[in-house]
Amino acid sequence: MHVVLTHANVIDCVNPEPMPDASVTVQDGRIVEVRSGVAPANADAQVIDLQGAYLLPGLWDVHIHPEYLAATGANVVEQTVQFGRRLIECLDSGITGLRCAGSAHFMDVAWRDAFNSGQVIGPRLFASGYFLTTTGGHFLTSGHARECDGPYGFVQAIREQMKHDVDHIKLNLSGGIMGPSWDRHWHSFLLDEELRAAFAICRQREFKVMAHATHPGAVKAAIELGAHTVEHGYIMDDACIELFLKHGTWYVPTLAISHLTPDQAGDEWEQRYVRERNLSHDLCCRADAAADEHRKWFQRALGAGVKMALGSDIRPLKDAALLEMGLWVKDGATPWQTLVAATKHAAEVCGVGEELGTVEAGKLADLMVVADNPLANIQHLRQVLMVFKEGHLVVDKRV
C-alpha cells in the first residue's frame, strides 16, 4: 500500500515549527519520506491532497481505565464489550495509543491482543490488568482493584498479573481524591516491607511499575524504588522534583482529577463534562481543595524539565485526552509542550518511541489530520478530518 499525503502543514512533534506545504509518503504501513513540496508518486499510489490541513502523529492517553461498570451489576461479558466499544471510539478523536492503569478481568489484555492481531481495528493498547492496592485500599468501587496484604501477598499478585501477560504493573501506593472518606490522597497505604517486595519482584522480572503516588512520601518512595512512571503527584516538594530529574522518572500529572468541577470548569467542553459526570458534592469539594497544590507542582515539574507525558484518568475515553490537554495549557504549558506530551513522550513511556509518536521516516504511520493549527489553539485538535493507523485510513470525516 502506497499513500502520498500532499499539501500538508506537518507538525512532526520533533521540531516546534510546522513544515508548510509538505508531503508525507507512506508505504507498507511506514513513513518512508517527509519532504517539503509535492512528493513524486508512482502510478499505483493513492494521493490525498490535504489542502493545507495539519498532519501530526496520532494522540495518546497513558492513564486510562474502563468504565466502572462493575458497580452497575453488568456481567464480565457486558463490561468487556462496552470497554472495547469505548476504545474503538477513541480513533474518532485521533487517539491511536492508550496505556491502561487498572482493568478488571484482564479485559485490557484481551482487547490489546484483538487489536494487535488485526481482528478488530482499534488503538494500540498497553495493558496493566488489575491495579494492586491493600485491603481497604484506593478506589475499590471501580471493580479494577485487587486487594493484597503483606510482602508475599503483593509478590503473588504481581506474579499472577505477569502470568496473564500484562505489559506493566500498576501499584497504588497511596489514597486518592476520588474515594470514600477513608481513602485520602495524603495517606500512604503500603507498608515499607510491602513496597520493597513489590518493587523487587518487578525489577527481578523486568516489568515496569506504574506508581499511583499522591503525596511527597509516596512519590519519593516510588522514584527511589525504581518506578517507571509516577501518576498524579497531587502534593509534592522540591525533593520530589530533584528525584524526578536525578532518576529520569516520568511524571503523568492527570490534572483532570482535581480540576474538573463545577467551580473550575471554564470552556464549553469542560462545562459539558462536568454536567454529564455529575460528581457528588463531597468529591467536588475534595477536588477543589486539592487543585491549587496540584497545579503548583505540575508547574514546578514543567519548569524544571521533568519528563512528562499526558494521561487523563477520566472517562469517556474519546474526550478524556482532549480535556486533559486543555487543562495543561490552562495551567501554563504551551500547546507545543502539551502536544509532545501526548505524542512523542507518551510513546516513549510505553516503550515504543522508536516506532511511534512522531512524523519521521521509518516510523509507523499512526497519523491524524486536523483542519487548523493546534499549536495556535490546542482545541483545534477537535477538528479531526482523518485518522490513519499504519497508513490505513480508519477515520474519514471530510465532507
Side-chain angles (χ1 to χ4, degrees):
M1 183 180 180
H2 188 182
V3 179
V4 182
L5 305 168
T6 65
H7 299 298
N9 287 297
V10 174
I11 300 173
D12 60 12
C13 288
V14 179
N15 304 295
E17 294 297 326
M19 180 187 295
D21 197 25
S23 297
V24 174
T25 302
V26 177
Q27 190 161 9
D28 298 326
R30 289 190 180 271
I31 300 165
V32 295
E33 183 182 48
V34 182
R35 62 178 288 170
S36 181
V38 178
N42 59 35
D44 64 347
Q46 178 187 10
V47 179
I48 302 176
D49 187 347
L50 297 186
Q51 300 178 342
Y54 287 77
L55 174 69
L56 59 150
L59 304 177
W60 290 66
D61 186 337
V62 297
H63 191 125
I64 69 156
H65 298 279
E67 303 282 340
Y68 306 128
L69 293 169
T72 70
N75 63 38
V76 174
V77 173
E78 291 171 326
Q79 293 178 54
T80 304
V81 169
Q82 287 298 320
F83 183 35
R85 288 174 178 166
R86 300 296 178 262
L87 292 169
I88 294 165
E89 288 173 356
C90 289
L91 292 174
D92 286 339
S93 300
I95 298 164
T96 58
L98 299 160
R99 182 180 68 146
C100 203
S103 169
H105 312 297
F106 300 99
M107 63 179 77
D108 54 349
V109 174
W111 279 111
R112 177 202 65 193
D113 293 348
F115 295 149
N116 288 350
S117 71
Q119 297 174 55
V120 185
I121 297 173
R124 301 177 190 280
L125 182 61
F126 292 82
S128 67
Y130 291 89
F131 62 70
L132 305 182
T133 185
T134 60
T135 295
H138 175 56
F139 212 2
L140 304 181
T141 55
S142 66
H144 309 319
R146 168 162 176 178
E147 294 173 278
C148 315
D149 290 292
Y152 295 106
F154 274 92
V155 168
Q156 180 190 33
I158 289 167
R159 286 172 173 157
E160 287 185 3
Q161 298 282 105
M162 294 173 180
K163 181 178 72 174
H164 283 88
D165 199 23
V166 300
D167 295 303
H168 54 272
I169 301 297
K170 170 73 180 304
L171 294 176
N172 283 2
L173 278 62
S174 53
I177 291 172
M178 300 297 161
S181 59
W182 45 263
D183 183 356
R184 297 293 185 172
H185 66 276
W186 56 84
H187 289 161
S188 290
F189 282 5
L190 276 71
L191 297 174
D192 288 346
E193 54 266 35
E194 291 172 324
L195 274 174
R196 288 194 298 270
F199 276 88
I201 191 63
C202 290
R203 283 194 302 273
Q204 182 175 307
R205 299 291 296 276
E206 298 182 50
F207 270 73
K208 294 174 181 176
V209 174
M210 182 183 193
H212 167 115
T214 55
H215 62 79
V219 171
K220 283 181 266 197
I223 297 173
E224 289 172 339
L225 287 167
H228 180 59
T229 65
V230 167
E231 316 293 307
H232 311 306
Y234 302 135
I235 309 169
M236 295 198 285
D237 58 24
D238 289 334
C240 294
I241 302 299
E242 292 170 7
L243 283 171
F244 271 116
L245 295 170
K246 177 182 176 181
H247 292 269
T249 307
W250 288 96
Y251 176 37
V252 181
T254 67
L255 297 174
I257 293 296
S258 69
H259 284 37
L260 291 179
T261 66
D263 287 346
Q264 297 184 75
D267 61 40
E268 61 183 288
W269 300 285
E270 292 176 8
Q271 291 171 6
R272 183 173 65 225
Y273 170 84
V274 166
R275 287 193 303 271
E276 293 175 355
R277 183 72 175 91
N278 194 28
L279 281 175
S280 70
H281 177 70
D282 174 62
L283 292 179
C284 288
C285 289
R286 288 171 63 166
D288 287 339
D292 285 346
E293 188 80 3
H294 193 188
R295 181 180 300 108
K296 177 177 81 171
W297 291 108
F298 166 78
Q299 292 170 343
R300 293 275 188 91
L302 188 71
V306 171
K307 296 194 304 182
M308 296 167 70
L310 188 129
S312 68
D313 199 18
I314 60 170
R315 60 190 196 277
L317 297 180
K318 64 184 180 66
D319 297 324
L322 299 173
L323 285 162
E324 181 72 14
M325 294 176 83
L327 293 171
W328 274 53
V329 173
K330 184 187 289 188
D331 276 3
T334 65
W336 169 252
Q337 290 172 314
T338 303
L339 191 56
V340 170
T343 54
K344 183 177 186 290
H345 287 176
E348 290 173 359
V349 159
C350 293
V352 291
E354 293 184 359
E355 292 281 294
L356 294 156
T358 62
V359 184
E360 295 181 278
K363 291 203 170 183
L364 292 168
D366 286 11
L367 306 167
M368 67 183 298
V369 179
V370 296
D372 209 342
N373 185 2
L375 297 178
N377 184 338
I378 202 69
Q379 301 299 350
H380 289 161
L381 289 170
R382 296 178 179 275
Q383 302 173 7
V384 175
L385 297 176
M386 287 179 277
V387 180
F388 296 84
K389 183 178 179 184
E390 289 191 26
H392 294 276
L393 183 60
V394 294
V395 174
D396 190 349
K397 296 186 179 183
R398 294 172 294 173
V399 176

